[in-house]
Amino acid sequence: MTSLLRLSPDVKMWYYHTLERYFPELIRPYTRLYATAYAEKAYATAMQRRIADVSARHALPAPPPPPRPEPMPAAEPTFARPEQLSFSF
């Protein structure tokens, strides 16, 4: 599964500050690409295709599917045995 960068608002501020300091030429492209927290759909789709092609070309194994939780067995209802009350008269 391809996982691209996710820039939530608080992370985006830090990330853009870092880009501005070390890679100022990337600010404009990243601002367009990440108008929301996620990369634009066309870019994400292109990257997924590209990674699939490279993986196939180099015979990289596909990532395993996410583990499914084991189903919980149905609990047997437990009933307390009724206690016989007695009175000593």
Side-chain angles (χ1 to χ4, degrees):
M1 179 174 143
T2 303
S3 179
L4 300 178
L5 184 63
R6 178 182 177 274
L7 294 176
S8 60
D10 53 336
V11 173
K12 190 181 280 192
M13 285 184 351
W14 174 86
Y15 189 77
Y16 286 170
H17 175 73
T18 303
L19 280 181
E20 188 174 54
R21 183 171 182 183
Y22 297 103
F23 306 98
E25 69 280 3
L26 295 179
I27 288 288
R28 185 168 286 136
Y30 271 86
T31 303
R32 278 182 293 195
L33 185 60
Y34 284 91
T36 67
Y38 299 94
E40 64 182 33
K41 187 75 170 167
Y43 175 80
T45 302
M47 286 304 296
Q48 289 169 345
R49 252 189 250 116
R50 215 168 155 185
I51 291 168
D53 291 347
V54 169
S55 295
R57 187 176 332 127
H58 295 284
L60 298 175
R68 290 201 278 176
E70 300 258 342
M72 298 280 293
E76 291 291 322
T78 56
F79 298 103
R81 187 167 198 172
E83 181 181 339
Q84 176 64 50
L85 299 177
S86 62
F87 300 99
S88 56
F89 294 103

